[in-house]
Amino acid sequence: QVQLVESGGGLVQAGGSLRLSCAASGSIFSINNMGWARQAPGKQREFVARITNSGSTNYADAVKGRFTISRDNAKDTVYLQIDSLKPEDTAVYYCNLYYRKYTVEYNYWGQGTQVTVSS
């Protein structure tokens, strides 16, 4: 079983920065994607960013240039540096780990960390 534990959320003023962390533990296949999604009140969960174990990244258009995803493979940890925060970034941010082993897909989610941006 895999567990994902997020940290680093909080209340910040618009224009500020936060760094989210997500540590994975358990039986983790070495070739995997880790990433972040977010869910604002009354909205569906949406993709934010993704990073492969080799370091390739993808970002949602809404966060490009402001968010930076990185990972430490030795620690099975993924980070999300969030700069120039906007009120519309307010959401619960969820960590995700995905991998496929043979024909079986594994998709895990953390419990989420709240990010609130005040104007």
Side-chain angles (χ1 to χ4, degrees):
Q1 188 68 12
V2 173
Q3 286 190 325
L4 302 174
V5 179
E6 301 104 331
S7 61
L11 173 64
V12 64
Q13 287 189 330
S17 297
L18 282 174
R19 189 190 193 210
L20 308 184
S21 300
C22 172
S25 61
S27 181
I28 303 168
F29 190 53
S30 59
I31 302 173
N32 60 69
N33 294 340
M34 297 189 77
W36 295 89
R38 65 185 181 185
Q39 187 166 17
K43 295 188 177 181
Q44 289 189 332
R45 189 175 298 188
E46 63 177 4
F47 165 76
V48 172
R50 176 189 303 117
I51 185 168
T52 69
N53 63 294
S54 61
S56 297
T57 59
N58 294 98
Y59 295 93
D61 288 343
V63 307
K64 282 181 181 177
R66 298 189 298 120
F67 289 21
T68 304
I69 190 170
S70 61
R71 65 187 288 170
D72 184 336
N73 289 336
K75 297 180 180 180
D76 289 322
T77 299
V78 64
Y79 306 96
L80 188 67
Q81 177 68 38
I82 310 176
D83 298 318
S84 303
L85 275 158
K86 304 176 181 180
E88 51 263 43
D89 294 320
T90 294
V92 177
Y93 284 71
Y94 295 92
C95 176
N96 172 255
L97 184 147
Y98 166 86
Y99 63 89
R100 186 169 62 186
K101 193 171 183 181
Y102 303 111
T103 59
V104 180
E105 295 185 338
Y106 300 84
N107 200 23
Y108 300 96
W109 291 95
Q111 292 190 325
T113 185
Q114 177 71 47
V115 172
T116 303
V117 184
S118 62
S119 57

